[in-house]
Each structure stands twice: as C-alpha cells, then as structure tokens.
Amino acid sequence: MPVSVTAVVYCEGKFAQQDGKTANGLVRNSQKYEILSVIDSTQAGRDAGFLLSGVANGIPVLANLTEAIAHAGRVPNSLIFGMAPAGGLLTELQRTDLLEGIARGMNLVNGLHEFLNEDPEFASAALLAGVSITDVRRTKDRKDLRLFSGRIFDVTCPRVAVLGTDGAIGKRTTTTLLVEALNARGVKAIMVGTGQTALIQGAKYAVALDSTVPQFCSGEVEAQVVAAFENEDPDIIVIESQGALSHPAYLTSAYILRGSRPDGVIVQHAPKREMLDDYQFLPMPTAASEIALIESFADTRVIGVTINHEHMTDDQISSAIDEHELELGIPSTDPLTRPLDRLVEMVLMAYPTLAERATATLVE
C-alpha cells in the first residue's frame, strides 16, 4: 500500500550524525510517511541516501523550510523533528523553525521528551493554524499501563533482541534490516520497536520505553511482544533495544530483557568508538564485556555481533568481523556494508527450525 502522508524531516546541523538518528532512520525506512526532503543547511544540495549509505535515494537535503515547500510543489502534510539529543529539549533556533512549519500549515511530529502540546506558544500556534502536534513519546494514562504478567511464557516462537554497547549505535537499523531480510527469505518476522523513531516510522508494535514509568516498562514490552505473537502468528519476533545494558544513564535494555525474555541476542558494536556517544568521559565497553554482562543478567545467549562501521575503512570492517568471530566464537557481520544474507544466516544458524522454512534466495 503506497504511503500518502507527505513529510519533511527537520534535522538542522545533525543529519547523518548520531544525534540525527530519527531523520537517518526515516530516510532509510518509513511505512507511515512519504519523506520528501530533509532540512539541514550544512548538507544542503546533497542526496540523503548517498550521505547515509553511499547510494542515492532521491530524497534531497535542503537548506530551509522555504526550499522544502518549493521542492514539494505544495505544503507537505507534516514536519517531523528528526533529532534525538540526549537532553530531549529544543533549542531556540529549533523552536523558531518548528513554529514556522506550523504557521505554514504543517502538522508537527515531535519525538522529544519535551511535550509541545503542553507548550503555550506551540499549542496556540497550532490552534491558530488549524494543525495538530503529535508528541510521540507521550505515554498512555497510568490506568492503561500494564505490569509484567507472565504472558510472555505463552509466546512459543523464537525472540531475538538486538542490543548494543552504546546508544545511537544502529540497533534499530539492524533490527529493521534483519526483519526485512528474514521475510524476504520466507521466514515470517515481526519487529517490536521500543523507541520514538520506530513509532514515527510506523511500526505496528512499539512503545516509547524511555518515557514509560519504570514500574510498567517490562509489562509494556511484554504486551507488545504478546500482541505481535497473537495477531501475526510469526515465525520469529525481533525486538529493538535502547541504550546498552552496561550504560549508566540508560536502563531500558534491562526492561527489554526482562519483558521480552529473548532466547537470543545480537549485540551491535562500534569498534572505533572510544567513548560513549553522549558521555565522552566514559570509555566504551568491548563487545566481549557486554556479552558477558547480558548473559549473566538474563537467561539468554548472544548469537552474533553486528559491526557499526563508523570511522572504518572496508579493510578495517573485514578485520573487525574476523576478529570478533575468532575471539567470541559466534558469527559477525556489518549489515550495512556486507550482504544481508550473512545477517540472516546468523539467525538461521541459531534456530535450525527456521532454517527449514527459509528459501535459498540470497539477499543482496
């Protein structure tokens, strides 16, 4: 079914960077919106797909909202805030640019912790312009939140969680690519998202976990996995994780492990990242130390390592893949620079019954 809701993604100064991960994700995959352009004056004139992966996809990066509207030939339906800074709050420049979008008649999609429907200036501007503001991270009413129930034990298909050694390291991208590649091989895979980007992309089963009351985090993850299992009858469920289990600031990986109770885990790691993304005073863990922590914390096993190739040459990527396989004794690959068939085989090796369902078609 074609996507009919048009959108421009605002990512001033951050596109193709770690803090622009929402915009990056939407350019790579969006089931809910047709992405017409990205706003980032520092990258204006370039192709968004080429900036991310070296392959053009026809989505231009433009300097401002005026150019974005002119390129669309009309006022697009929505303006999506495409950044995910650690603090989750708007700067003055960002406020001005987003208010301009509202004044021009665009609905605003906001993934920040700052709820703009509660901001008097944004609320009045939206009312005057007759548009909506969607605060993606706004959770349900407390009465509707769910505690862990144990229903996860009724989910009989394999569950694989994609964890990592840091935030903004590619866990959602790997999750999305794995689900697409498994389905292409004839294995029915369903993704469960746990962050605002997955919700904006249109994930059917997702929760903004980092804005959920901690008491209900495990239950909300469990509920999404159970719903995916009961409604879709999948062969496998793949769960996106957040942050890292070892990360001192982000505790959501713990809730994901407890709520989804995965029998397999893939660990995403950036070998050239020396310090934690938003905490440059803290060194990165190794893949080996993160694996040891995960397997001691939860009743699960790590079935593979995926490499984030930032700051790496192709030869360095190959060396990192080989080194991790040799050191850890499990498969390793880079989903973005190596054939996706390698990522699929990582899962099929861990679950032989799924291998029997898979076709022999290679995924490029």
Side-chain angles (χ1 to χ4, degrees):
M1 181 182 296
V3 178
S4 59
V5 181
T6 57
V8 170
V9 182
Y10 177 83
C11 197
E12 177 59 33
K14 297 295 182 181
F15 183 66
Q17 299 180 36
Q18 290 163 13
D19 278 356
K21 65 180 185 179
T22 297
N24 302 343
L26 287 165
V27 165
R28 287 190 171 111
N29 178 277
S30 179
Q31 303 169 53
K32 188 173 183 179
Y33 298 99
E34 178 188 355
I35 306 302
L36 301 181
S37 62
V38 174
I39 294 174
D40 182 352
S41 62
T42 67
Q43 303 276 12
R46 305 184 69 181
D47 181 275
F50 185 83
L51 283 169
L52 286 177
S53 63
V55 179
N57 64 0
I59 299 176
V61 182
L62 304 173
N64 51 49
L65 191 56
T66 299
E67 288 189 11
I69 292 173
H71 171 265
R74 63 195 185 283
V75 176
N77 178 271
S78 297
L79 179 63
I80 302 173
F81 187 79
M83 289 172 272
L89 302 176
L90 290 176
T91 66
E92 285 304 313
L93 173 62
Q94 291 164 359
R95 289 181 66 89
T96 299
D97 289 344
L98 295 184
L99 285 166
E100 180 188 355
I102 289 175
R104 288 174 177 259
M106 300 175 74
N107 298 308
L108 180 60
V109 180
N110 166 44
L112 295 173
H113 287 292
E114 182 177 8
F115 296 155
L116 298 183
N117 272 304
E118 297 177 358
D119 184 301
E121 185 176 18
F122 275 91
S124 60
L127 183 64
L128 184 64
V131 301
S132 66
I133 299 174
T134 301
D135 290 317
V136 177
R137 270 185 164 125
R138 182 182 293 278
T139 61
K140 298 176 289 188
D141 292 339
R142 298 289 178 91
K143 64 181 177 59
D144 297 321
L145 292 171
R146 290 159 289 193
L147 289 167
F148 183 79
S149 68
R151 293 181 66 202
I152 194 68
F153 297 111
D154 296 327
V155 177
T156 56
C157 71
R159 300 177 301 284
V160 171
V162 179
L163 276 69
T165 52
D166 192 10
I169 205 166
K171 298 180 291 291
R172 186 196 65 257
T173 298
T174 292
T175 303
T176 302
L177 290 172
L178 176 57
V179 168
E180 291 176 349
L182 283 167
N183 279 296
R185 286 284 295 270
V187 177
K188 185 175 182 181
I190 298 294
M191 173 179 170
V192 170
T194 55
Q196 77 280 2
T197 303
L199 284 162
I200 296 172
Q201 286 176 315
K204 187 175 181 180
Y205 302 98
V207 57
L209 200 60
D210 63 0
S211 60
T212 301
V213 178
Q215 181 78 0
F216 301 97
C217 282
S218 295
E220 285 296 305
V221 172
E222 177 192 44
Q224 293 299 321
V225 175
V226 170
F229 176 69
E230 293 181 344
N231 296 340
E232 309 294 339
D233 190 26
D235 296 322
I236 185 172
I237 297 173
V238 186
I239 304 104
E240 172 203 17
S241 185
Q242 301 292 316
L245 187 60
S246 62
H247 203 296
Y250 307 137
L251 301 180
T252 40
S253 285
Y255 299 120
I256 290 164
L257 286 167
R258 290 291 189 246
S260 68
R261 300 190 70 86
D263 36 47
V265 169
I266 293 171
V267 172
Q268 179 99 3
H269 180 56
K272 290 294 185 180
R273 190 181 296 189
E274 296 180 355
M275 310 299 282
L276 293 178
D277 177 31
D278 289 318
Y279 296 83
Q280 289 293 305
F281 55 90
L282 292 172
M284 280 281 290
T286 64
S289 68
E290 196 72 23
I291 290 169
L293 180 61
I294 291 166
E295 293 185 338
S296 64
F297 179 82
D299 182 16
T300 190
R301 60 179 176 137
V302 174
I303 64 172
V305 170
T306 45
I307 299 297
N308 177 320
H309 61 260
E310 63 186 27
H311 312 307
M312 299 177 73
T313 65
D314 193 70
D315 286 344
Q316 289 173 328
I317 297 168
S318 294
S319 295
I321 290 171
D322 292 342
E323 288 166 5
H324 282 84
E325 288 189 338
L326 183 63
E327 176 189 0
L328 302 171
I330 53 178
S332 179
T333 189
D334 175 1
L336 288 175
T337 67
R338 299 300 184 262
L340 282 177
D341 195 61
R342 298 185 187 182
L343 183 62
V344 172
E345 292 302 326
M346 181 184 292
V347 173
L348 298 186
M349 286 174 60
Y351 301 100
T353 56
L354 293 182
E356 296 172 3
R357 298 172 182 262
T359 66
T361 304
L362 294 179
V363 182
E364 297 298 333

